């Protein structure tokens, strides 16, 4: 999140939550030098934390059921699709390859080589579909009532519980803060932001995302397409409201 945006939100006296598809280790690194970030939503809403002194306290998590986890991995294994897994604090991989090494440098997190079939502490799986068979498998997984497959980055598809994907952890945050969705400003630029943006009182869809992708609006909701950071900052300065921020 750009410093200018954080400065503007903090200057307006807003609570700030950084919600992302990244894991907690990566988000902790991003938030380390910005104490105004009071909350984190990791793994596309599967894990929500609140700043607690010099550390972080978990206030919400959605585990994948062990039997569901095994079923997903069986589906992925049948078509040879690479999968990673995430717990509260760990990023797990089956082997260290070029993709893992590049990701480690990019997000500032370290992978652990460890089996994750049947575990009870997995909050998110990450899939990399490279062919038609992979994409078809993700469609089968997404069709399950309790699961959601959302793109968190081009070529990166998060598999989480449907409740997590619905608002990217925003439901946990507004309950913790004692707010209604009408009090929320949400900003996002990816598919895994759509649920959060659709619920927010003020939604800022940052390029390449567009507000036309959101659910039908409710009375009182404000929605804006923002081509760049300057557009976001201009809108924030002009808003006649005192909401929180996600």
């Amino acid at each position: 999140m750009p410093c200018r945006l954080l400065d503007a939100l903090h200057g307006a006296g807003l609570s700030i939550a950084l919600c992302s598809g990244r894991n907690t280790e990566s988000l902790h690194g991003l938030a380390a030098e910005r104490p105004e970030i009071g909350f984190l939503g990791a793994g596309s809403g599967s894990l929500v934390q609140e700043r607690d002194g010099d550390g972080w306290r978990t206030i919400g998590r959605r585990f994948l059921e062990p039997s569901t986890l095994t079923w997903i991995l069986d589906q992925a294994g049948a078509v040879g699709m690479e999968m990673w897994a995430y717990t509260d604090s760990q990023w797990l991989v089956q082997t260290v390859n070029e993709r893992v090494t590049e990701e480690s440098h990019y997000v500032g997190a370290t992978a652990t080589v460890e089996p994750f079939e049947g575990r009870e502490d997995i909050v998110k799986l990450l899939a990399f579909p490279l062919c038609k068979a992979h994409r078809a498998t993700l469609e089968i997984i997404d069709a399950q009532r309790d699961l959601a497959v959302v793109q968190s980055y081009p070529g990166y598809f998060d598999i989480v519980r449907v409740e997590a994907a619905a608002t990217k952890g925003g439901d946990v945050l507004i309950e913790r803060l004692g707010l209604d969705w009408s009090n929320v400003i949400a900003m996002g630029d990816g598919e895994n932001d759509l649920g959060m943006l659709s619920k927010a009182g003020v939604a800022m869809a940052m390029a390449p995302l567009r507000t036309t992708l959101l659910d039908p609006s409710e009375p009182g909701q404000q929605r804006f397409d923002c081509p760049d950071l300057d557009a976001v900052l201009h809108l924030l300065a002009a808003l006649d409201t005192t909401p929180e921020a996600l």
Side-chain angles (χ1 to χ4, degrees), residues 18-24 27 40-49:
L18 180 57
C19 300
S20 173
R22 295 192 185 201
N23 69 346
T24 52
L27 293 183
L40 300 174
S44 291
S46 58
L47 183 68
V48 183
Q49 295 187 329

Side-chain angles (χ1 to χ4, degrees), residues 196-212:
M196 176 180 69
L197 290 167
S198 294
K199 291 278 192 181
V202 178
M204 297 186 183
M206 304 173 72
L209 213 59
R210 302 284 293 179
T211 54
T212 53

Side-chain angles (χ1 to χ4, degrees), residues 14 25 29 45 49 55 61 65 76 139 148 156 166 172 184 201 203 205 221:
L14 305 180
E25 182 181 359
Q49 295 187 329
R61 59 165 68 86
E65 293 290 338
E139 290 177 2
Y156 286 51
V172 176
V184 173
Q221 286 185 306

Side-chain angles (χ1 to χ4, degrees), residues 51-73:
R51 192 182 288 273
D52 184 14
D54 293 330
W56 295 89
R57 179 173 62 89
T58 297
I59 58 175
R61 59 165 68 86
R62 274 96 178 214
F63 294 121
L64 294 171
E65 293 290 338
S67 58
T68 300
L69 175 66
T70 298
W71 176 81
I72 296 170
L73 294 174

Side-chain angles (χ1 to χ4, degrees), residues 12-15 179 182-185 202 222 236 239-245:
L14 305 180
S15 298
L179 301 174
S182 62
N183 302 118
V184 173
I185 299 174
V202 178
Q222 301 178 69
L236 284 172
L239 284 176
D240 182 21
T241 182
T242 55
E244 301 296 305

